Amino acid sequence: MLPSFFIAHGAPLLAIENNTYTQFLNTLGSTLPRPKAVVLFSAHWESSTQKVSDVNEYKTIYDFGGFPESLYRIQYPARGDSEIAKEIKELFTMHGIPFEVETNRGLDHGAWVVLRMLYPNADIPVISMSVDPNLKPEEQYKIGQSLSELREKDILIIGSGGTVHNLRALKMVEDDSLVDQWALGFDEWLAIRLKNWDVESLFKYDTLAPTANLAVPPYGNEHFIPIFYAMGAVDNEKTAKLLHRSYRYGNLSHSVWQFG
């Protein structure tokens, strides 16, 4: 049975950089059994009702501005899979989770930056999924939980975001070896709770975790919450392992968590 993952997609520049994190992601896909498909919850697709993509071939969305031209030339022409989309719709119906089908939207950079490093040939079918920042963490977890049986069918579930993601706090010109203590403190708190599968505390991270207001700022939790969707998918195992953690720009966390 495949694990699920929470994978930080960093800043868009990650797509053209060569560093310890990109090197890790470039090898991660080859260490896993080849999945039948990838179901990916992206921080850059927010909706008040759960969206399920059912497309033939995805366009590449450049949902950012002011970056080098080479970023806008990247293509990731992944295909969808209608049969797996149908399975997801059936599972949501069975578990009483409202959803809508999206037949046109392409892959945002929260999806293709990660997928391109894991599976550079774009030869694994993808089902893109939205996230809802206004749901309670327990509800986000339940959505992931409803999809857990997909793992038995060699379908890989990924939540793409970032544990520490505060664009207003980034220090773009600083040495990457200098990491803000508040970012480290939040990630250490998170690591302990994840390894203990302490969902009671995790669901209250915004009031219990140190410096949560900086790591997951009040103006946006969309990058943090994909972790709950990924965790829910392995509720029957409840195991977590930190595979990689590094930082850019003083506090932008590049974390990869494996669940299951």
Side-chain angles (χ1 to χ4, degrees), residues 147-194:
L147 301 179
S148 61
E149 68 180 64
L150 294 178
R151 297 172 49 233
E152 301 173 8
K153 302 177 181 181
D154 298 324
I155 295 172
L156 182 63
I157 298 174
I158 296 175
S160 172
T163 57
V164 180
H165 188 277
N166 185 339
L167 298 182
R168 298 178 188 175
L170 298 185
K171 302 169 183 176
M172 301 298 290
V173 297
E174 285 203 9
D175 186 332
D176 283 338
S177 65
L178 302 174
V179 182
D180 290 331
Q181 286 301 309
W182 61 263
L184 289 170
F186 179 84
D187 268 342
E188 284 301 319
W189 181 92
L190 181 64
I192 292 169
R193 275 72 191 176
L194 288 173

Side-chain angles (χ1 to χ4, degrees), residues 6 8-12 43-44 109 161-170 182-183 186-187 212-224 247 251-254:
F6 175 78
H9 59 252
H44 287 276
H109 84 273
T163 57
V164 180
H165 188 277
N166 185 339
L167 298 182
R168 298 178 188 175
L170 298 185
W182 61 263
F186 179 84
D187 268 342
N213 62 319
L214 286 172
V216 187
Y219 62 82
N221 65 351
E222 74 288 337
H223 277 73
F224 184 70
Y247 297 86
N251 50 63
L252 183 66
S253 179
H254 287 164

